[in-house]
């Protein structure tokens, strides 16, 4: 809306012709829109985002648990390899002792050559088992260092299991420990969060079939200036404002919502 200056007379054209005018209009306005009703679409969007955040958090915790599990597994593997070395060393000493005794008996004519050869074979087998145990211990140490994320040349002093005291009594029953471990499994929590997120997404898509009701308001200032045949500009400025209720209802979208609903339903069944 523009107000016309009363001091400027009306301009009329008699007998035809052309009248050149120049109009300058400017408008500044501020619009505000507040959604009143969307049949749960916003709530479903928030719920789906929360469940996806839960999936990310438990995935992060699951990675930590995996690292702890791998370090623990390789620690006990290394200790088992150490015990195998001790056992193999003891077996080699025993085989060497038996071999020496058999050789002494053979020198005195109290043993046969096959008995000596069998004792030498047992000694060789014990030596081979010892070297195999040392190789397994080296591999277990490297695996433990890699699971810790430490550079390979690092020399670690790893305590033996036998040096750690075993608790005389566990505070909780074994069944309670197992149930608590299962309840804290990040993979199961992530799957449950994925299922809840798919339900929220399905609810969101269903809400898109219903209308959206919003409150709209705008306020601003309109300035209009007119010049006829290079005359001075005349006009005026007035505030402009309005308020109303808007209703949005999609009628046809090329079956986009239907296909989207099918995809979300399939993901929900899979979850």
């Amino acid at each position: 809306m523009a107000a016309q200056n009363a001091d400027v007379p009306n301009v009329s054209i008699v007998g035809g012709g052309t009248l050149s005018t120049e109009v300058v209009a400017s408008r500044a306005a501020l619009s505000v829109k507040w959604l009143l009703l969307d049949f749960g679409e916003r709530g479903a969007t928030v719920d789906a985002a929360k469940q996806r955040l839960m999936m990310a958090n438990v995935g992060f915790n699951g990675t930590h648990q995996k690292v702890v599990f791998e370090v623990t597994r390789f620690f006990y593997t290394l200790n088992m390899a150490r015990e195998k070395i001790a056992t193999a060393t003891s077996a080699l000493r025993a085989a060497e002792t038996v071999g020496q005794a058999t050789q002494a008996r053979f020198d005195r004519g109290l043993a046969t050559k096959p008995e000596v050869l069998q004792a030498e074979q047992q000694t060789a087998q014990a030596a081979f088992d010892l070297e195999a145990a040392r190789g397994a211990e080296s591999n277990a140490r490297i695996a433990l260092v890699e699971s810790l994320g430490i550079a390979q040349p690092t020399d670690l002093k790893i305590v033996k299991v036998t040096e750690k005291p075993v608790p005389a009594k566990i505070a909780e029953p074994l069944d309670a420990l197992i149930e608590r471990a299962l309840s804290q499994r990040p993979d199961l929590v992530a799957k449950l969060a994925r299922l809840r997120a798919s339900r929220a997404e399905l609810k969101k898509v269903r809400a898109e079939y219903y209308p959206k009701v919003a409150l709209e308001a705008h306020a601003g200032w309109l300035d209009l200036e007119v010049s006829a045949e290079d005359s001075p500009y005349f006009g005026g400025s007035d505030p402009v404002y309005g308020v109303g209720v808007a209703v949005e209802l999609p009628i046809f979208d090329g079956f986009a919502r239907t296909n989207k609903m099918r995809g979300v339903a399939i993901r929900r069944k899979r979850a």
Side-chain angles (χ1 to χ4, degrees):
M1 179 183 295
Q4 184 177 358
N5 193 338
D7 297 336
V8 179
N10 294 331
V11 179
S12 62
I13 302 176
V14 181
T18 301
L19 176 64
S20 299
T21 62
E22 184 177 354
V23 180
V24 178
S26 58
R27 176 179 179 178
L30 176 64
S31 299
V32 178
K33 182 177 181 180
W34 184 266
L35 186 61
L36 300 177
L37 180 64
D38 63 352
F39 294 91
E41 183 177 352
R42 287 178 298 181
T45 303
V46 173
D47 291 340
K50 288 182 178 179
Q51 296 303 325
R52 285 192 290 268
L53 178 61
M54 175 65 71
M55 292 169 56
N57 288 335
V58 298
F60 181 75
N61 295 338
T63 302
H64 279 189
Q65 289 188 359
K66 184 178 179 181
V67 172
V68 173
F69 173 77
E70 291 296 325
V71 172
T72 305
R73 182 167 66 92
F74 289 127
F75 170 76
Y76 284 103
T77 301
L78 176 60
N79 278 275
M80 184 173 61
R82 286 174 170 176
E83 295 301 323
K84 286 183 178 181
I85 290 177
T87 303
T89 302
S90 177
L92 177 60
R93 291 175 181 173
E96 290 175 348
T97 302
V98 172
Q100 292 174 1
T102 304
Q103 183 66 39
R105 291 173 57 209
F106 177 77
D107 294 340
R108 292 179 175 83
L110 299 177
T112 62
K113 188 62 176 180
E115 291 178 345
V116 175
L117 295 177
Q118 184 177 7
E120 292 177 353
Q121 180 184 3
Q122 291 178 352
T123 302
Q125 183 64 43
F128 174 82
D129 293 340
L130 177 59
E131 292 301 321
R134 289 173 178 172
E137 190 270 345
S138 178
N139 294 335
R141 179 181 294 273
I142 293 174
L144 177 60
V145 172
E146 290 180 349
S147 65
L148 292 171
I150 303 176
Q152 286 293 342
T154 304
D155 186 15
L156 296 179
K157 183 179 180 181
I158 303 172
V159 66
K160 294 183 179 181
V161 177
T162 54
E163 297 176 2
K164 301 293 292 184
V166 179
K169 184 179 180 181
I170 301 178
E172 296 183 54
L174 181 59
D175 293 340
L177 291 174
I178 294 175
E179 291 180 0
R180 183 157 59 89
L182 291 176
S183 66
Q184 295 175 351
R185 284 184 55 180
D187 54 342
L188 298 181
V189 178
K191 290 181 179 181
L192 179 60
R194 184 179 295 108
L195 176 59
R196 291 175 177 174
S198 63
R199 289 176 180 174
E201 290 177 357
L202 185 61
K203 183 179 179 181
K204 175 180 178 295
V205 176
R206 287 175 178 172
E208 294 179 0
Y209 282 89
Y210 297 97
K212 294 180 178 62
V213 181
L215 177 65
E216 293 185 348
H218 67 274
W221 197 267
L222 176 63
D223 182 76
L224 180 64
E225 300 291 337
V226 181
S227 174
E229 292 292 347
D230 297 330
S231 66
Y233 284 93
F234 63 92
S237 59
D238 283 305
V240 291
Y241 51 85
V243 63
V245 177
V247 179
E248 179 182 351
L249 178 60
I251 298 177
F252 181 71
D253 59 358
F255 304 104
R257 287 176 296 178
T258 302
N259 295 329
K260 187 176 181 180
M261 175 74 75
R262 292 176 181 174
V264 173
I266 292 174
R267 289 194 294 271
R268 179 178 177 272
K269 290 181 180 180
R270 183 172 58 188

